Amino acid sequence: MVLAGASDRAELAAGPLAHLVTFTDELFRSDGTMRDVYPVLAVVASPAGASEIDAICAALVKMATIPAPPVIRIDRDVDGVAALIQTVLESGLGRISSYASTMATELVMLRRERETLFENFRVLEDAFRARNWEPASEIFAHDAFVDPKDEGIGRLMREGWVEQLFPVSSFGVSGFALHFRNLAKGSGEVIVTLDYVENGEGVAEWIVPFSDLAADWNFFSLPKACDGSPRTLRLRISANGAEPPAPSLGHPIASRRYAARARTPHGDLDHRPLAIKIYSGIPGVRPTALPNSIAPSSLIGGRRIEDYRLPIDALRAVADVSVSPIVPDFQTIRFLEHEDAIVCHPLPAGISAGAVANAVAPGTVRFSARATIDHAEGQPALVGFLLAPSAANLRSEIAILEREGAARRSAYFSGWRDVIAGESASINIVLDSPTQRTMNLVILSRAKGDSVDFSWLKVSDFRLVRHFEVEPRGEVAHAQ
């Protein structure tokens, strides 16, 4: 705490300040740095010592961190003045100086810790920015676990649906990816719908042709991320076509609630979820690691989705409303009891038609079915569907369709689809607006060529989708 010149070493080394004095030649290390001392005052016992103190004080001023210490001359009464200085230094001033030295040491340690924290923060910030460079960030994943024993998932999609709850909140979800284990054979569509469990309100629907799906991860994007209060999202997958692509399943999980389920029980779905990845981020932008991006076919905000089938009793009551100049000697329209299908055999002229009365409920927006020629030697034919009002004269509607090639404005016509033996044709009708009233469903068939030999046209898997308006609930008010 006391600074003295090296020339005064002999006078001060034997006195009471010996253990408190740092001499000028000991103040700096060989590399120019200052030792761990803090000079409170300087003592001078000779003119040479005074010169050395002046030089050191000038050096301390350049450092701008330690003030120049006051100088006390003790050249006349070394022992008396030294004893007084020692008393002052070892009293309160000494304790303050010792405390200041301790504080300086602690500040050095805190500075080192702060630099370490800043370095760790920079590493975390770099990692965060690198993560957010991706347009969409994965927030949950059930990885694919393809088992050769997994069978029948495609059949479940065709005969009903496969359903999966998202194990994360809907808040901020901007898309999801599904893994398909193989490519489809033939034509058809995969229908994917997303809705909320709490009130059944729909979010979006994707109708994807088989050819647009990859045997890998397929990203289904949303035009905007889900907002509002956190709710539970439910995914439902169905398909039409002969052999739809089968979605992959993930590893077994303990929670039965978040395992996939189907309309009918299936052993492979026991405690196994669908292979799925859930993303948040920029809506409508594909994650860079995925091969494709599929936009919704329609948005269903504020409406509830219901997927329903035609009852067997309605199919069994199918009526022949054919319009043809030919009167065949066999039944062209009938119901196949054990296959839940309707046979509609075309005639060389006119249109063979079977009507299912009051089959289409109000609010229906989509209708699909599957048509096959159930004979190996069956000649090609054309198939179509007509939705007509309940009070309409169906034969008159079909006659206008045959004559003009288009239906009346009050009816909906699917158009004609080719069907050949050995292949299944998927017919899908998406209406411009939901039906406002109950309507009749008419199955139509006509000849494609000169012959209709063995053209036993079998139509099955009648599936309809209707939308209902949903009343605003608490979560919507909360979102506003």
Side-chain angles (χ1 to χ4, degrees), residues 138-146 163-168 175-180 216-218 233 235 247-261 269 271-279 290:
E138 179 184 312
I139 58 176
F140 187 85
H142 277 312
D143 293 327
F145 177 61
V146 178
E163 188 176 88
Q164 172 73 58
L165 294 183
F166 281 14
V168 298
F176 57 91
L178 293 173
H179 190 278
F180 288 88
D216 198 349
W217 291 104
N218 297 263
L233 285 171
L235 181 71
S248 301
L249 298 176
H251 295 266
I253 57 176
S255 175
R256 185 180 294 273
R257 175 178 176 83
Y258 292 108
R261 69 185 188 94
L269 298 184
H271 288 97
R272 299 240 347 242
L274 290 176
I276 189 170
K277 293 182 178 180
I278 304 171
Y279 291 87
L290 301 185

Side-chain angles (χ1 to χ4, degrees), residues 308-317 335 340 356-360 462 464:
Y308 69 100
R309 303 296 187 95
L310 295 185
I312 300 300
D313 291 341
L315 296 177
R316 187 179 287 117
F335 173 70
D340 297 342
V356 182
N358 300 324
V360 182
F462 297 94
L464 298 97

Side-chain angles (χ1 to χ4, degrees), residues 141-164:
H142 277 312
D143 293 327
F145 177 61
V146 178
D147 189 339
K149 297 180 181 179
D150 293 343
E151 295 179 354
I153 309 300
R155 179 178 57 80
L156 291 176
M157 293 167 54
R158 191 178 67 243
E159 297 178 355
W161 40 255
V162 178
E163 188 176 88
Q164 172 73 58

Side-chain angles (χ1 to χ4, degrees), residues 36-244:
D36 190 14
V37 297
Y38 189 88
V40 177
L41 54 87
V43 295
V44 174
S46 65
S51 299
E52 294 174 354
I53 289 297
D54 291 340
I56 286 297
C57 287
L60 293 177
V61 169
K62 293 180 180 180
M63 296 180 65
T65 56
I66 300 176
V71 180
I72 299 177
R73 302 187 69 87
I74 57 173
D75 51 346
R76 296 181 180 180
D77 185 7
V78 175
D79 292 337
V81 179
L84 179 60
I85 293 174
Q86 181 181 9
T87 301
V88 173
L89 292 176
E90 291 181 350
S91 60
L93 182 59
R95 289 195 298 272
I96 291 174
S97 177
S98 177
Y99 181 67
S101 177
T102 304
M103 286 182 60
T105 304
E106 294 292 337
L107 287 173
V108 170
M109 295 178 62
L110 288 174
R111 182 178 179 182
R112 291 173 181 172
E113 292 179 359
R114 185 189 66 173
E115 291 177 351
T116 302
L117 289 174
F118 277 152
E119 185 64 28
N120 292 338
F121 175 77
R122 282 190 289 270
V123 172
L124 291 174
E125 187 179 31
D126 291 343
F128 177 78
R129 288 177 178 175
R131 180 69 172 174
N132 282 273
W133 284 337
E134 290 286 339
S137 298
E138 179 184 312
I139 58 176
F140 187 85
H142 277 312
D143 293 327
F145 177 61
V146 178
D147 189 339
K149 297 180 181 179
D150 293 343
E151 295 179 354
I153 309 300
R155 179 178 57 80
L156 291 176
M157 293 167 54
R158 191 178 67 243
E159 297 178 355
W161 40 255
V162 178
E163 188 176 88
Q164 172 73 58
L165 294 183
F166 281 14
V168 298
S169 164
S170 65
F171 190 83
V173 171
S174 61
F176 57 91
L178 293 173
H179 190 278
F180 288 88
R181 54 185 297 188
N182 53 17
L183 292 174
K185 299 179 180 179
S187 61
E189 294 89 17
V190 171
I191 301 101
V192 180
T193 58
L194 190 66
D195 64 349
Y196 293 114
V197 173
E198 285 76 7
N199 60 355
E201 176 187 345
V203 178
E205 181 180 52
W206 294 261
I207 302 176
V208 190
F210 292 167
S211 58
D212 292 347
L213 295 172
D216 198 349
W217 291 104
N218 297 263
F219 181 66
F220 294 79
S221 66
L222 288 170
K224 75 170 195 173
C226 298
D227 52 11
S229 62
R231 289 177 285 181
T232 306
L233 285 171
R234 172 172 51 200
L235 181 71
R236 181 172 289 181
I237 311 174
S238 58
N240 54 45
E243 296 184 32

